[in-house]
């Protein structure tokens, strides 16, 4: 489900900000097969709802991050109305997002964890 595309929390910031500079000029975006898909929709899932194996992967990804990564992500979410609305609909807050997963279909899953 999410295992193949689980990323550090900073990935949402990179995907949500549509600022990219091509490495080689005159190369259209369609010519970049490894480019991340554009965000089409947001999905919010609490880590407790994920399969046990995926929960372990989320914990590993979170452990690899640094103190600035969550701050950047939370700031980006606050500035992205669609992401904030998706969280609001699930009763979650931006500071509860611990990781993201980008689907090939353009769905960005925001993985939340309730504060204990």
């Amino acid at each position: 489900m999410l295992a193949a595309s689980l990323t550090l929390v900073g990935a949402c910031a990179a995907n949500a900000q549509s600022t990219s500079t091509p490495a080689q000029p005159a190369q259209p975006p369609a010519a970049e097969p490894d480019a991340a898909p554009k965000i089409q929709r947001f999905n919010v899932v609490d880590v407790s709802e994920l399969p046990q194996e995926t929960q372990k992967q989320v914990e590993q990804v979170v452990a690899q991050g640094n103190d600035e990564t969550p701050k950047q992500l939370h700031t980006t979410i606050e500035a992205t109305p669609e992401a904030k609305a998706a969280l609001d609909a699930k009763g979650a807050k931006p500071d509860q997002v611990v990781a993201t997963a980008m689907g090939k279909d353009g769905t960005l899953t925001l993985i939340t964890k309730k504060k204990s």
Side-chain angles (χ1 to χ4, degrees), residues 6-72:
L6 192 64
T7 59
L8 291 173
V9 290
C12 178
N15 284 320
Q17 297 173 354
S18 298
T19 58
S20 63
T21 306
Q24 299 173 355
Q27 219 179 27
E32 298 177 33
D34 294 334
K38 184 176 178 175
I39 298 171
Q40 300 295 321
R41 65 192 129 304
F42 292 90
N43 185 30
V44 178
V45 178
D46 190 79
V47 73
S48 65
E49 299 171 22
L50 299 172
Q52 194 69 19
E53 185 60 34
T54 306
Q55 288 182 31
K56 289 178 187 177
Q57 290 176 344
V58 169
E59 292 301 326
Q60 289 174 348
V61 168
V62 171
Q64 293 172 0
N66 63 44
D67 290 340
E68 288 301 311
T69 305
K71 292 177 188 174
Q72 293 169 347

